[in-house]
Amino acid sequence: MDVLWRAWSVVCANRGAPGVDGMSVDTVAAAGVEEFLQGLSDRLRTHTYRPSVLRRVQIPKPGRPGELRPLSIPTVADRVVMTAAKLVLEPVFEADFTEVSYGFRPKRSAIDACEAVRVAANQRREWVFEADIRDCFGTIGHDALVAQVTRRVTDRSMLKLIRAWLRMGVLEGGVTSPSGAGTPQGSPVSPLLANVALHVLDEAWRERGQRLGVLVRYCDDFVVLSPTRQRAEQARELAAEVLGGLGMRLHPEKSGIICLTRGERGFEFLGFHHRKVESWKWRGKFYLQRWPSQRALGVLRDKIRAATSRSRTEWPVAAVVADLNPVLRGWTGYFRNGHSSRKFNAVDRYVHERLAIFASRKHGRTGRNWVTRYNGEWLTRLGVFRLSGNVHWVTAHAGR
């Protein structure tokens, strides 16, 4: 019960939409959490627990207009049991996970992964193999995944639970279809299972790929930084071979090899654009820097545009600012770790412009009134969060 209570607190904090049974976190809380968790505990102990089918919804992909991502929503009861299993299993697998893996792991973050990329690139690894796994969560082979789990877990009840979650059907449009492969994207245990499966790639790199380059992996998103193009090509072949054994494939159009020499090209990784920039102090020396990618900026602009749209002119300007500030703070909290000053200044200008247009429309004024009425002092009085001045600079050099 102590593990279930902790799992409930995590599920409750994350909120989330109801599953196929229509029960939300608030519904369960109103009916009585103690009885709910006790019922789950009894069913788990007597081996009568059976997961419900998943509710499938299609959500838009950020920064990719017209593209949708399938999201599978478990019931609250299943989310609690999955979270409890994750709490128990995570320390077991953490003992084996390697240093190249950063995604969905305790005390590791996307910024740590970006720092590893920066250090590797500044150590004369000029060739980058940027990989994109086609539908990673939806194509992981069940047998291959369970085989990896059984290397560390021998408890039959836990293995039975994992197999049941992998076989959960999906309800979409009133029709239930079986899941032949993959782990449901949207369930609490899926990131851990994906890391367990992709740990095979990390092990293969430790045994066969270290001479090819430095692997940096954030769950299903990874890059390899190599000293030569030949080794980068060999790294792509090794990755394709290992992933093929798991039932996964590299996306041929979104995976490729680029050269960073003298800042000729850059690459996208974890929302940042990474590119070498010439040092202002030592001419002729180039160091890897990063700033928000165009896609990340586009997603933020869409949110700013939605918050200040014409349809909201009945709202007070202060209410629009209160709605917008958390978005700006959250975006800044992630992208402040890098070399984002110019991009932050551009976002500040865009926010100023959108709010000036919004206020002009609201009060029936023509023009944008930049200088006379809606100037910087006006923004300050409104309490608009400014991105400028919030950059956390990182050194450009490899060894610091």
Side-chain angles (χ1 to χ4, degrees), residues 353-374:
E353 177 185 0
R354 290 297 305 177
L355 286 172
I357 293 172
F358 179 85
S360 294
R361 285 173 178 166
K362 180 176 178 63
H363 299 294
R365 299 187 177 101
T366 58
R368 299 180 183 177
N369 302 283
W370 285 95
V371 179
T372 58
R373 188 181 298 272
Y374 304 128

Side-chain angles (χ1 to χ4, degrees), residues 89-97 148-150 152-153 192 196:
L89 291 173
E90 190 172 63
V92 175
F93 290 105
E94 273 294 320
D96 281 346
F97 287 161
Q148 293 304 311
V149 174
T150 54
R152 293 288 292 170
V153 178
L192 175 61
V196 171

Side-chain angles (χ1 to χ4, degrees), residues 91-274:
V92 175
F93 290 105
E94 273 294 320
D96 281 346
F97 287 161
T98 67
E99 292 296 313
V100 303
S101 171
Y102 292 87
F104 305 106
R105 294 185 59 191
K107 299 181 180 180
R108 307 200 114 203
S109 68
I111 301 304
D112 295 330
C114 289
E115 277 297 287
V117 168
R118 181 187 65 82
V119 171
N122 288 342
Q123 292 173 343
R124 296 186 179 181
R125 295 180 177 90
E126 303 280 339
W127 293 89
V128 179
F129 164 50
E130 46 179 344
D132 185 280
I133 302 175
R134 175 176 282 175
D135 189 17
C136 172
F137 283 86
T139 57
I140 299 175
H142 289 175
D143 292 339
L145 174 56
V146 172
Q148 293 304 311
V149 174
T150 54
R151 291 173 59 184
R152 293 288 292 170
V153 178
T154 57
D155 183 84
R156 295 180 62 186
S157 298
M158 182 64 78
L159 293 173
K160 184 178 179 181
L161 269 181
I162 293 173
R163 288 193 182 97
W165 290 330
L166 293 176
R167 292 195 298 264
M168 293 167 74
V170 176
L171 178 65
E172 186 175 16
V175 179
T176 301
S177 56
S179 55
T183 177
Q185 188 170 0
S187 75
V189 77
S190 288
L192 175 61
L193 294 179
N195 268 335
V196 171
L198 290 170
H199 178 62
V200 178
L201 179 64
D202 304 342
E203 287 186 316
W205 224 264
R206 183 167 52 190
E207 296 169 2
R208 301 157 55 192
Q210 285 192 354
R211 70 176 188 84
L212 303 180
V214 174
L215 169 68
V216 180
R217 183 176 67 80
Y218 191 91
C219 199
D220 61 327
D221 198 359
F222 68 91
V223 294
V224 180
L225 295 100
S226 303
T228 65
R229 184 181 184 92
Q230 181 183 10
R231 293 190 185 183
E233 294 282 2
Q234 292 172 348
R236 175 160 56 184
E237 293 171 3
L238 176 58
E241 175 191 336
V242 175
L243 293 173
L246 297 170
M248 293 181 277
R249 291 188 302 155
L250 292 170
H251 199 299
E253 297 176 358
K254 297 181 181 179
S255 301
I257 296 173
I258 66 162
C259 181
L260 299 174
T261 303
R262 302 186 69 83
E264 294 175 2
R265 293 184 62 187
F267 64 97
E268 315 293 319
F269 185 57
L270 301 179
F272 286 94
H273 180 76
H274 303 255

Side-chain angles (χ1 to χ4, degrees), residues 7-121:
W8 164 258
S9 66
V10 173
V11 172
C12 196
N14 291 336
R15 309 300 293 176
V20 293
D21 60 0
M23 292 184 64
S24 65
V25 170
D26 293 334
T27 306
V28 174
V33 179
E34 179 75 36
E35 294 80 7
F36 172 75
L37 295 182
Q38 190 61 58
L40 276 180
S41 177
D42 293 341
R43 282 187 283 159
L44 288 166
R45 290 179 185 277
T46 58
H47 306 286
T48 57
Y49 163 79
R50 297 292 183 273
S52 304
V53 296
L54 300 159
R55 183 167 71 89
R56 173 67 57 82
V57 295
Q58 302 288 340
I59 60 173
K61 287 187 176 182
R64 295 182 181 178
E67 293 189 38
L68 299 175
R69 173 186 288 118
L71 189 66
S72 303
I73 304 176
T75 63
V76 174
D78 290 337
R79 293 208 295 269
V80 171
V81 179
M82 289 175 175
T83 303
K86 176 179 177 291
L87 292 172
V88 173
L89 291 173
E90 190 172 63
V92 175
F93 290 105
E94 273 294 320
D96 281 346
F97 287 161
T98 67
E99 292 296 313
V100 303
S101 171
Y102 292 87
F104 305 106
R105 294 185 59 191
K107 299 181 180 180
R108 307 200 114 203
S109 68
I111 301 304
D112 295 330
C114 289
E115 277 297 287
V117 168
R118 181 187 65 82
V119 171

